[in-house]
């Protein structure tokens, strides 16, 4: 079965509407899809109607921003109830953090010679959840950078001025939001954090202690060696295995819907055997 449990719509920083995302997933042969927008479940209702139309199984998901030990960590929640009070409150809280963070990013960028950054990024975001990609696009539009990657490399990525550390909740709290809403918490794209194996083990121990159960063994087109190492870690910690493309935009074959690397054979439970569809 073709499974993709990590995707973004234009409700956060993707470019397709939730319904168009579901259509594209169908086109690419995905049978089980999770919509996991950044810090919001606002796209789930639309996606679920379309999933029923086209005959795809949909998992209600979210990708929460959090921090652990001072580092930014993304936690995917799968099979959450989007109508749970606690989850709605969590969405609101995260939007507040994003707004405050956007103001701080804008102030930094203005000092570095990028005028009207807040208004510019907000205009690009429209009703979507605002994030660094909107600042990157604005910087590209005003000619401060040659491409989006350069915007992250110079201004917005880890350790750069626009990488504001403040504000995200501790990951224990975020895991609690997910499990409290009936979902399974999954550590997103562990390789992106560039941690040592020891650090990652420590993170996983804390994650399990907080009630987390899953790990993305495959994320997008990551290296095979990385996949094998993550599978070993999953085995060591007895975690459930997840897989996702982290799709945001059409036309990027390395993150196309459902076309992430295949999971190697393994004997652990797959996370999708333990989550509800809507
Ligand atoms: P935020 O959610 O505001 O912290 O922004 C993080 C998002 O920026 C990620 O989910 C990616 O979609 C995007 N992103 C991160 N690094 C890059 C990059 N180098 N080039 C383009 N987009 C990126
Ligand atoms: Mn994103
Ligand atoms: Mn992420
Ligand atoms: Mn993502």
């Amino acid at each position: 079965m073709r499974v993709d449990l990590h995707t973004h719509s234009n409700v956060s920083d993707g470019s397709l509407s939730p319904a168009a995302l579901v259509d594209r997933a169908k086109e690419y042969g995905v049978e089980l899809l999770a919509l996991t927008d950044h810090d919001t479940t606002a796209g789930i209702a639309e996606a679920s109607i379309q999933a029923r139309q086209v005959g795809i199984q949909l998992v209600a998901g979210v990708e929460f921003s959090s921090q652990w030990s001072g580092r930014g960590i993304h936690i995917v929640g799968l099979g959450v109830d989007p109508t749970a009070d606690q989850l709605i409150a969590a969405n609101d809280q995260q939007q507040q953090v994003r707004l405050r963070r956007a103001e701080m990013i804008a102030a930094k960028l203005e000092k570095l010679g990028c005028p009207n950054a807040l208004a510019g990024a907000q205009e690009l975001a429209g009703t979507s959840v605002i994030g660094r990609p909107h600042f990157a696009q604005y910087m590209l539009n005003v000619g401060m950078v040659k491409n989006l990657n350069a915007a992250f490399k110079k201004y917005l990525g880890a350790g750069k001025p626009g990488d504001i550390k403040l504000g995200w909740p501790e990951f224990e709290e975020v895991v609690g939001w997910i499990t409290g809403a009936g979902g399974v918490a999954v550590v997103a794209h562990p390789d992106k954090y560039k941690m040592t194996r020891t650090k990652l083990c420590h993170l996983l121990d804390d994650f399990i202690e907080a009630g987390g159960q899953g790990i993305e063994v495959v994320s997008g087109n990551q290296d095979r060696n990385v996949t094998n190492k993550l599978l070993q870690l999953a085995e060591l910690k007895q975690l459930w295995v997840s897989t996702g493309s982290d799709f945001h935009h059409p036309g990027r074959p390395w993150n196309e819907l459902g076309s992430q690397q295949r999971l190697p054979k393994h004997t652990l439970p797959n996370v999708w055997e333990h989550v509800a569809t809507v």
Side-chain angles (χ1 to χ4, degrees):
M1 180 165 67
R2 192 163 287 220
V3 176
D4 190 342
L5 298 179
H6 188 148
T7 69
H8 296 271
S9 75
N10 65 3
V11 171
S12 64
D13 58 357
S15 47
L16 300 181
S17 68
L21 178 93
V22 169
D23 285 345
R24 191 178 180 88
K26 178 76 183 177
E27 198 181 309
Y28 280 79
V30 176
E31 293 156 275
L32 181 64
L33 173 76
L35 174 62
T36 58
D37 275 312
H38 293 287
D39 300 304
T40 179
T41 48
I44 300 296
E46 179 185 324
S48 115
I49 292 168
Q50 192 64 12
R52 235 168 290 149
Q53 289 273 335
V54 302
I56 277 191
Q57 284 186 280
L58 184 80
V59 170
V62 60
E63 181 180 18
F64 278 128
S65 311
S66 76
Q67 56 176 323
W68 174 80
S69 201
R71 298 158 187 261
I73 302 291
H74 286 177
I75 306 289
V76 163
L78 297 175
V80 293
D81 171 6
T83 66
D85 286 346
Q86 204 187 9
L87 204 70
I88 292 168
N91 286 351
D92 290 345
Q93 182 180 321
Q94 295 290 78
Q95 297 330 305
Q96 295 303 321
V97 175
R98 279 187 175 272
L99 270 180
R100 256 183 292 136
R101 189 181 67 142
E103 287 163 6
M104 292 163 83
I105 293 173
K108 293 266 190 186
L109 295 184
E110 300 217 354
K111 274 197 191 134
L112 294 167
C114 181
N116 300 318
L118 186 60
Q122 273 176 330
E123 195 185 335
L124 287 169
T127 58
S128 310
V129 165
I130 194 166
R132 283 179 286 173
H134 302 108
F135 284 98
Q137 186 64 51
Y138 178 68
M139 296 181 96
L140 179 62
N141 293 356
V142 299
M144 263 191 88
V145 290
K146 288 212 176 71
N147 53 54
L148 294 175
N149 204 31
F152 277 90
K153 224 171 163 178
K154 284 195 202 155
Y155 298 103
L156 298 164
K160 302 300 166 189
D163 172 32
I164 306 288
K165 283 276 183 297
L166 288 169
W168 296 127
E170 290 295 328
F171 91 155
E172 286 84 354
E173 187 181 358
V174 165
V175 171
W177 292 341
I178 293 167
T179 55
V184 173
V186 175
V187 177
H189 44 61
D191 186 53
K192 281 212 182 144
Y193 312 127
K194 298 296 165 211
M195 288 183 187
T196 61
R197 188 177 185 279
T198 310
K199 258 264 166 345
L200 196 51
C201 277
H202 187 178
L203 179 148
L204 292 176
D205 290 338
D206 288 352
F207 177 70
I208 291 163
E209 172 129 12
Q213 289 167 299
I215 182 170
E216 278 182 2
V217 168
V218 165
S219 173
N221 66 341
Q222 73 190 14
D223 199 279
R224 266 274 161 216
N225 294 325
V226 169
T227 303
N228 292 335
K229 276 185 206 152
L230 291 175
L231 185 57
Q232 272 179 10
L233 272 180
E235 275 160 356
L236 181 69
K237 303 292 177 190
Q238 289 294 297
L239 287 161
W240 297 344
V241 172
S242 192
T243 175
S245 62
D246 210 355
F247 173 87
H248 285 73
H249 310 282
R252 300 185 185 177
W254 57 95
N255 282 118
E256 188 49 79
L257 285 169
S259 51
Q260 73 276 17
Q261 186 189 101
R262 278 182 156 266
L263 271 171
K265 280 210 166 25
H266 65 88
T267 55
L268 291 166
N270 292 308
V271 74
W272 58 91
E273 291 154 15
H274 295 273
V275 297
T277 53
V278 290

